[in-house]
Amino acid sequence: MKLVPYTESPLYRNMHLMNDLMDEMMGMRSSNTVSFRLDLEKADDRYIVTAELPGLKKEDINLDVEDGVMTIGVHKVEEREEKQEEKHYLHRERREINAERQIDVGAVDEENIKATLEDGVLRVELPFVNEVEKKKAISID
């Protein structure tokens, strides 16, 4: 029997590219390998974004809207140290969390955006801008 070396299939190897493409097509872009769950709901007069961010405080979250794109950024540094003098044992861990998600929201009323963080769930309400009439008849005096 002849041994055949294992190689990843091109489909599996490029799956992350496909995921990025789908996110881009759906108006949601992510960066880094750490991510978080996010839901986007369209109500009658606003978008409602819900993101699951367990263990994070509002100081760990950066939220902004620019050019019709809302960005939720997360940055947290955790350090933990355990000492046991009798065993001369020292255990020290550091972990840094960085994640960012972007959502195309279009024209929203930036002055009236509301965001709350409760029990690890971020909720952002983005009211729509009152649409200006695209075409208006003008009477001639």
Side-chain angles (χ1 to χ4, degrees):
M1 175 166 87
K2 183 177 180 184
L3 294 177
V4 178
Y6 171 77
T7 58
E8 286 183 348
S9 74
L11 178 65
Y12 181 77
R13 187 175 339 118
N14 294 319
M15 191 167 299
H16 70 281
L17 296 174
M18 194 64 158
N19 287 339
D20 291 345
L21 177 63
M22 292 302 290
D23 283 349
E24 185 72 28
M25 288 171 48
M26 298 300 290
M28 298 180 200
R29 294 182 291 278
S30 61
S31 65
N32 300 333
T33 56
V34 177
S35 192
F36 47 87
R37 292 180 185 237
L38 185 137
D39 294 326
L40 174 62
E41 175 186 344
K42 183 177 180 182
D44 291 335
D45 61 343
R46 68 188 65 232
Y47 286 120
I48 301 170
V49 177
T50 307
E52 295 179 13
L53 303 170
L56 296 174
K57 299 176 184 171
K58 67 180 183 177
E59 296 82 23
D60 303 326
I61 303 167
N62 182 37
L63 185 63
D64 63 57
V65 175
E66 183 177 359
D67 296 329
V69 177
M70 183 181 74
T71 303
I72 302 173
V74 174
H75 177 78
K76 183 175 183 175
V77 177
E78 296 177 341
E79 291 190 28
R80 185 176 73 179
E81 185 173 320
E82 299 174 18
K83 288 184 180 182
Q84 293 181 359
E85 296 294 329
E86 63 275 0
K87 294 183 180 180
H88 304 286
Y89 174 74
L90 174 67
H91 178 83
R92 188 172 179 177
E93 289 186 13
R94 289 170 296 286
R95 181 172 83 152
E96 186 169 350
I97 299 170
N98 286 304
E100 183 178 273
R101 298 286 303 266
Q102 293 183 319
I103 305 168
D104 292 322
V105 292
V108 294
D109 184 357
E110 295 179 11
E111 299 300 319
N112 291 306
I113 296 173
K114 295 179 184 174
T116 58
L117 180 67
E118 187 174 328
D119 297 328
V121 177
L122 175 69
R123 179 183 168 97
V124 184
E125 295 184 11
L126 303 116
F128 300 138
V129 172
N130 293 331
E131 289 189 30
V132 177
E133 289 184 37
K134 294 180 181 167
K135 181 177 181 182
K136 180 178 179 182
I138 302 172
S139 62
I140 301 172
D141 294 329

